[in-house]
């Protein structure tokens, strides 16, 4: 994963926003550990695949939540300051990755 630095202004997340995203990620982390245990216990492959699918859905939900916040704050601010095209192009490139 590339670590990219951008010149755009960042709108800091509120304490509640950070908490909500962190809690979701911790739940996902727990699900991943659960899958590791399922593999160690030689659980049925279909059961493992169902759990992997659930994790993928949960990660996408977190990603779209962050994308929505980015659009409402960062992209909106960029449009207001005349840098909207660049911010929109950047967002669209990232959203394309979600459809892969």
């Amino acid at each position: 994963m590339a670590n990219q630095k951008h010149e755009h202004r960042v709108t800091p997340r509120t304490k509640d926003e950070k908490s909500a995203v962190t809690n979701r990620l911790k739940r996902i982390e727990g699900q991943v550990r659960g899958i590791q245990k399922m593999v160690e216990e030689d659980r049925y492959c279909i059961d493992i695949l169902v759990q992997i699918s659930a994790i993928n859905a949960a990660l996408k939900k977190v990603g779209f939540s962050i994308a929505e916040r980015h659009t409402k704050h960062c992209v909106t601010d960029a449009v207001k300051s005349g840098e909207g095209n660049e911010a929109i192009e950047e967002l669209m490139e990232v959203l394309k990755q979600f459809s892969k």
Side-chain angles (χ1 to χ4, degrees):
M1 184 169 22
N3 187 8
Q4 300 173 349
K5 261 195 162 170
H6 300 285
E7 299 298 318
H8 307 295
R9 273 186 262 143
V10 175
T11 304
R13 290 172 185 84
T14 66
K15 192 173 184 176
D16 287 343
E17 288 172 328
K18 287 180 187 179
S19 179
V21 171
T22 301
N23 288 339
R24 285 182 184 174
L25 292 172
K26 285 179 182 177
R27 250 181 269 131
I28 293 167
E29 179 182 24
Q31 288 177 289
V32 171
R33 287 196 180 125
I35 290 175
Q36 290 171 337
K37 186 175 179 185
M38 291 173 79
V39 170
E40 290 168 2
E41 295 173 350
D42 292 319
R43 296 277 299 273
Y44 187 51
C45 294
I46 296 300
D47 293 340
I48 295 170
L49 291 170
V50 167
Q51 290 304 310
I52 289 171
S53 177
I55 290 169
N56 283 333
L59 280 171
K60 279 193 172 191
K61 187 174 179 180
V62 171
F64 282 118
S65 165
I66 290 172
E68 180 181 17
R69 186 197 185 279
H70 178 71
T71 302
K72 289 179 177 178
H73 294 279
C74 303
V75 175
T76 299
D77 290 346
V79 168
K80 288 177 184 175
S81 68
E83 299 172 7
N85 287 338
E86 181 182 332
I88 291 168
E89 286 178 29
E90 177 185 56
L91 177 60
M92 293 310 299
E93 283 300 313
V94 170
L95 290 178
K96 286 177 189 175
Q97 294 177 22
F98 274 77
S99 64
K100 290 183 179 179

